[in-house]
Amino acid sequence: MKRLILLALPIALAACAKPAPDAPAPVSTESPAATTPATDPASTAPTGAAALGAYHWRLQEAKDAQGKHIDALFARADHPLTLDFAEGRLGVSNTCNRMGGGYTLEGDKLTVSSMMSTQMACADSKLMALDGEAGKRLEGSSTLAVQAGDQARLTLTNAGGDVLTFAGEPTAETRYGGPGEQAFLEVAAETKPCSHPLIPNKQCLQVREIRYDDKGVKSTEGEWQNFYEDIEGYTHEAGIRNVLRVKRFKRSPVPADASDTAYVLDMVVESENVKK
Protein backbone atom coordinates (compact mmCIF):
# COMPACT_ATOMS: atom_id res chain seq x y z
CA MET A 1 0.00 0.00 0.00
CA LYS A 2 1.33 3.40 -0.98
CA ARG A 3 1.63 6.09 1.64
CA LEU A 4 1.78 9.71 0.50
CA ILE A 5 3.85 12.07 2.60
CA LEU A 6 3.32 15.77 1.90
CA LEU A 7 6.08 17.84 3.42
CA ALA A 8 5.39 21.15 5.19
CA LEU A 9 4.58 23.00 1.96
CA PRO A 10 1.18 24.46 1.16
CA ILE A 11 0.13 23.91 -2.46
CA ALA A 12 -0.13 27.67 -2.74
CA LEU A 13 3.65 27.80 -2.69
CA ALA A 14 3.82 25.74 -5.84
CA ALA A 15 1.06 27.78 -7.40
CA CYS A 16 2.74 31.08 -6.63
CA ALA A 17 6.15 29.93 -7.74
CA LYS A 18 7.02 31.27 -11.17
CA PRO A 19 6.64 28.49 -13.74
CA ALA A 20 9.46 27.65 -16.06
CA PRO A 21 9.25 29.37 -19.46
CA ASP A 22 7.39 27.65 -22.33
CA ALA A 23 10.67 26.50 -23.83
CA PRO A 24 12.77 25.45 -20.82
CA ALA A 25 16.25 24.05 -20.92
CA PRO A 26 15.85 20.32 -21.63
CA VAL A 27 16.26 17.72 -18.92
CA SER A 28 19.65 16.09 -19.26
CA THR A 29 18.65 12.75 -20.80
CA GLU A 30 21.48 12.15 -23.26
CA SER A 31 24.67 10.42 -22.26
CA PRO A 32 27.41 13.09 -22.15
CA ALA A 33 30.28 12.78 -24.56
CA ALA A 34 33.81 12.61 -23.26
CA THR A 35 35.45 16.02 -23.67
CA THR A 36 38.47 17.83 -22.37
CA PRO A 37 38.12 18.11 -18.56
CA ALA A 38 36.99 21.50 -17.35
CA THR A 39 35.57 23.07 -14.24
CA ASP A 40 32.64 25.38 -13.66
CA PRO A 41 33.74 29.03 -13.52
CA ALA A 42 33.02 31.14 -10.47
CA SER A 43 31.81 34.65 -11.01
CA THR A 44 33.84 37.62 -9.84
CA ALA A 45 33.74 37.64 -6.05
CA PRO A 46 31.45 40.35 -4.66
CA THR A 47 32.80 42.88 -2.21
CA GLY A 48 31.54 44.45 1.01
CA ALA A 49 27.86 44.19 1.87
CA ALA A 50 27.05 42.72 -1.56
CA ALA A 51 28.72 39.51 -0.36
CA LEU A 52 25.96 38.82 2.18
CA GLY A 53 23.63 37.27 -0.38
CA ALA A 54 26.39 35.58 -2.36
CA TYR A 55 27.19 32.90 0.26
CA HIS A 56 25.66 30.39 2.63
CA TRP A 57 27.19 31.46 5.96
CA ARG A 58 28.02 28.50 8.23
CA LEU A 59 28.84 29.13 11.89
CA GLN A 60 32.50 28.40 12.57
CA GLU A 61 33.15 30.00 15.95
CA ALA A 62 31.13 31.75 18.67
CA LYS A 63 32.41 33.43 21.82
CA ASP A 64 30.69 35.51 24.48
CA ALA A 65 31.89 38.88 25.82
CA GLN A 66 34.30 37.09 28.15
CA GLY A 67 35.82 35.08 25.31
CA LYS A 68 34.14 31.82 26.36
CA HIS A 69 33.02 29.39 23.66
CA ILE A 70 29.21 29.40 23.27
CA ASP A 71 28.49 25.66 23.34
CA ALA A 72 24.73 26.12 22.98
CA LEU A 73 25.13 27.28 19.36
CA PHE A 74 26.81 24.03 18.33
CA ALA A 75 24.05 21.52 19.05
CA ARG A 76 24.52 20.04 15.56
CA ALA A 77 28.25 19.72 15.00
CA ASP A 78 27.78 18.04 11.61
CA HIS A 79 25.19 20.62 10.47
CA PRO A 80 26.34 24.05 11.67
CA LEU A 81 23.98 26.95 12.13
CA THR A 82 23.64 28.58 8.69
CA LEU A 83 22.54 32.07 7.61
CA ASP A 84 21.19 33.05 4.19
CA PHE A 85 20.49 36.65 3.18
CA ALA A 86 18.11 37.38 0.29
CA GLU A 87 15.87 40.31 -0.63
CA GLY A 88 15.86 41.86 2.83
CA ARG A 89 15.20 38.55 4.60
CA LEU A 90 17.50 36.52 6.83
CA GLY A 91 16.93 32.77 6.87
CA VAL A 92 18.39 30.56 9.61
CA SER A 93 18.72 26.81 9.03
CA ASN A 94 20.11 23.74 10.79
CA THR A 95 18.26 24.74 13.93
CA CYS A 96 15.35 22.67 15.23
CA ASN A 97 12.94 24.82 13.20
CA ARG A 98 13.46 26.96 10.14
CA MET A 99 13.72 30.57 11.28
CA GLY A 100 13.56 33.86 9.44
CA GLY A 101 13.06 37.60 9.74
CA GLY A 102 13.66 40.88 8.01
CA TYR A 103 16.96 42.71 8.16
CA THR A 104 18.40 46.10 7.26
CA LEU A 105 22.01 47.06 6.70
CA GLU A 106 23.39 50.56 7.18
CA GLY A 107 27.15 50.73 6.83
CA ASP A 108 28.48 48.10 9.21
CA LYS A 109 25.28 47.96 11.30
CA LEU A 110 23.06 44.94 10.74
CA THR A 111 19.60 45.05 12.33
CA VAL A 112 17.48 41.89 12.41
CA SER A 113 13.78 42.02 13.29
CA SER A 114 12.02 39.54 15.57
CA MET A 115 12.18 36.20 13.81
CA MET A 116 9.37 33.80 13.04
CA SER A 117 9.83 30.03 12.96
CA THR A 118 8.02 26.81 12.26
CA GLN A 119 6.65 24.96 15.29
CA MET A 120 8.18 21.52 14.99
CA ALA A 121 9.24 19.74 18.18
CA CYS A 122 12.65 18.06 18.28
CA ALA A 123 13.49 15.08 20.49
CA ASP A 124 16.99 16.36 21.27
CA SER A 125 16.70 18.94 24.08
CA LYS A 126 19.90 20.72 22.98
CA LEU A 127 18.54 21.05 19.46
CA MET A 128 15.22 22.35 20.81
CA ALA A 129 17.10 25.00 22.77
CA LEU A 130 19.16 26.02 19.74
CA ASP A 131 16.29 28.05 18.24
CA GLY A 132 16.10 30.34 21.23
CA GLU A 133 19.87 30.60 21.63
CA ALA A 134 20.26 31.58 17.98
CA GLY A 135 17.36 34.01 18.03
CA LYS A 136 18.50 36.00 21.03
CA ARG A 137 21.99 36.43 19.57
CA LEU A 138 20.91 37.32 16.04
CA GLU A 139 17.91 39.58 16.67
CA GLY A 140 18.54 43.29 17.15
CA SER A 141 21.61 45.28 16.13
CA SER A 142 25.07 43.87 15.45
CA THR A 143 28.26 45.20 14.02
CA LEU A 144 29.14 43.39 10.82
CA ALA A 145 32.42 42.68 9.06
CA VAL A 146 32.37 40.73 5.80
CA GLN A 147 35.12 39.44 3.55
CA ALA A 148 34.39 37.80 0.19
CA GLY A 149 36.59 35.61 -2.00
CA ASP A 150 38.06 32.15 -1.59
CA GLN A 151 38.22 32.53 2.22
CA ALA A 152 34.89 34.30 2.72
CA ARG A 153 34.20 35.29 6.34
CA LEU A 154 31.36 37.03 8.13
CA THR A 155 31.77 38.30 11.70
CA LEU A 156 28.82 39.56 13.77
CA THR A 157 29.31 41.28 17.13
CA ASN A 158 26.01 41.82 18.91
CA ALA A 159 25.07 44.35 21.59
CA GLY A 160 25.87 41.85 24.35
CA GLY A 161 29.43 41.37 23.10
CA ASP A 162 28.94 37.92 21.57
CA VAL A 163 31.15 37.42 18.52
CA LEU A 164 29.91 34.97 15.88
CA THR A 165 32.19 34.01 13.01
CA PHE A 166 30.85 32.35 9.85
CA ALA A 167 32.63 30.78 6.87
CA GLY A 168 31.10 31.48 3.47
CA GLU A 169 30.18 28.82 0.93
CA PRO A 170 29.28 30.33 -2.48
CA THR A 171 25.64 29.93 -3.49
CA ALA A 172 24.81 28.27 -6.79
CA GLU A 173 24.01 31.71 -8.22
CA THR A 174 27.51 32.87 -7.30
CA ARG A 175 29.22 29.77 -8.66
CA TYR A 176 27.36 29.76 -11.97
CA GLY A 177 27.16 33.51 -12.47
CA GLY A 178 23.39 34.01 -12.67
CA PRO A 179 19.97 33.44 -11.11
CA GLY A 180 19.26 30.16 -12.87
CA GLU A 181 15.91 28.85 -14.10
CA GLN A 182 13.34 27.26 -11.79
CA ALA A 183 11.84 23.89 -12.67
CA PHE A 184 9.95 21.03 -11.00
CA LEU A 185 11.19 17.48 -11.54
CA GLU A 186 9.50 14.24 -10.53
CA VAL A 187 12.05 11.56 -9.61
CA ALA A 188 10.89 7.93 -9.77
CA ALA A 189 11.40 5.60 -6.83
CA GLU A 190 13.90 3.36 -8.63
CA THR A 191 16.93 4.03 -10.82
CA LYS A 192 17.73 2.11 -14.02
CA PRO A 193 20.99 1.07 -15.73
CA CYS A 194 22.15 3.56 -18.36
CA SER A 195 25.13 3.91 -20.68
CA HIS A 196 27.82 6.46 -19.82
CA PRO A 197 31.20 6.81 -21.60
CA LEU A 198 33.12 7.48 -18.39
CA ILE A 199 31.16 5.67 -15.65
CA PRO A 200 30.82 1.86 -15.95
CA ASN A 201 27.60 0.31 -14.64
CA LYS A 202 26.01 3.70 -14.12
CA GLN A 203 22.51 3.86 -12.62
CA CYS A 204 20.40 6.80 -13.78
CA LEU A 205 17.57 8.54 -11.99
CA GLN A 206 14.26 8.30 -13.84
CA VAL A 207 12.93 11.84 -14.22
CA ARG A 208 10.09 13.72 -15.88
CA GLU A 209 9.22 17.38 -15.69
CA ILE A 210 6.27 18.69 -13.66
CA ARG A 211 4.32 21.91 -14.20
CA TYR A 212 1.82 23.73 -12.00
CA ASP A 213 -0.88 25.96 -13.46
CA ASP A 214 -2.01 29.23 -11.88
CA LYS A 215 -4.36 27.27 -9.59
CA GLY A 216 -1.65 24.94 -8.35
CA VAL A 217 -2.88 21.95 -10.38
CA LYS A 218 -0.02 19.62 -11.25
CA SER A 219 0.59 18.07 -14.67
CA THR A 220 3.43 15.96 -16.03
CA GLU A 221 5.52 16.70 -19.12
CA GLY A 222 6.48 13.65 -21.20
CA GLU A 223 7.63 10.16 -20.29
CA TRP A 224 10.16 8.94 -17.74
CA GLN A 225 13.69 9.43 -19.05
CA ASN A 226 17.22 8.62 -17.97
CA PHE A 227 18.75 11.54 -16.05
CA TYR A 228 22.53 11.49 -16.32
CA GLU A 229 23.25 14.46 -14.07
CA ASP A 230 23.62 14.70 -10.32
CA ILE A 231 21.26 17.11 -8.57
CA GLU A 232 23.36 19.12 -6.12
CA GLY A 233 21.96 18.78 -2.60
CA TYR A 234 19.77 15.76 -3.40
CA THR A 235 20.43 12.19 -2.27
CA HIS A 236 18.15 9.58 -3.80
CA GLU A 237 16.70 6.84 -1.60
CA ALA A 238 15.49 3.68 -3.33
CA GLY A 239 11.74 3.21 -3.00
CA ILE A 240 11.00 6.92 -2.50
CA ARG A 241 9.38 8.99 -5.26
CA ASN A 242 9.99 12.73 -4.98
CA VAL A 243 8.90 15.95 -6.61
CA LEU A 244 11.77 18.44 -6.48
CA ARG A 245 11.93 22.15 -7.06
CA VAL A 246 15.31 22.76 -8.66
CA LYS A 247 17.28 25.54 -10.29
CA ARG A 248 18.99 24.97 -13.62
CA PHE A 249 22.23 26.73 -14.48
CA LYS A 250 24.23 26.80 -17.69
CA ARG A 251 27.82 25.60 -17.45
CA SER A 252 30.62 27.13 -19.48
CA PRO A 253 32.93 25.43 -20.22
CA VAL A 254 31.28 22.03 -19.95
CA PRO A 255 32.96 19.39 -17.69
CA ALA A 256 34.01 16.09 -19.25
CA ASP A 257 31.47 13.94 -17.43
CA ALA A 258 28.45 16.28 -17.45
CA SER A 259 25.98 18.11 -19.65
CA ASP A 260 25.93 21.86 -20.23
CA THR A 261 23.26 22.23 -17.51
CA ALA A 262 23.76 21.99 -13.74
CA TYR A 263 20.84 21.16 -11.43
CA VAL A 264 20.68 22.38 -7.82
CA LEU A 265 18.01 21.30 -5.32
CA ASP A 266 15.87 24.15 -4.03
CA MET A 267 13.42 22.08 -1.97
CA VAL A 268 11.59 18.74 -1.82
CA VAL A 269 7.96 19.53 -2.61
CA GLU A 270 6.44 16.07 -2.29
CA SER A 271 7.64 12.64 -1.19
CA GLU A 272 5.96 9.22 -1.53
CA ASN A 273 7.12 5.93 -0.06
CA VAL A 274 6.38 3.20 -2.62
CA LYS A 275 8.48 0.44 -1.03
CA LYS A 276 6.69 -2.90 -1.04
Side-chain angles (χ1 to χ4, degrees), residues 199-257:
I199 306 176
N201 304 315
K202 181 173 176 61
Q203 291 283 325
C204 280
L205 297 175
Q206 300 302 294
V207 169
R208 58 186 177 183
E209 192 150 351
I210 295 289
R211 289 183 184 273
Y212 293 92
D213 65 18
D214 56 4
K215 295 182 180 179
V217 177
K218 181 175 68 175
S219 62
T220 59
E221 298 285 328
E223 302 297 322
W224 294 106
Q225 300 182 56
N226 288 334
F227 189 81
Y228 290 88
E229 286 294 301
D230 291 327
I231 301 174
E232 294 181 29
Y234 174 69
T235 301
H236 183 68
E237 181 180 350
I240 305 295
R241 181 193 66 84
N242 288 301
V243 174
L244 311 178
R245 190 173 75 189
V246 301
K247 288 187 177 181
R248 297 188 280 216
F249 299 88
K250 284 297 182 182
R251 293 186 174 113
S252 179
V254 182
D257 58 348

Side-chain angles (χ1 to χ4, degrees), residues 23 52 61 90 98 125 142 154 176 216 219 227 263:
L52 280 181
E61 181 59 276
L90 167 63
R98 288 282 304 185
S125 60
S142 298
L154 169 65
Y176 295 111
S219 62
F227 189 81
Y263 294 80

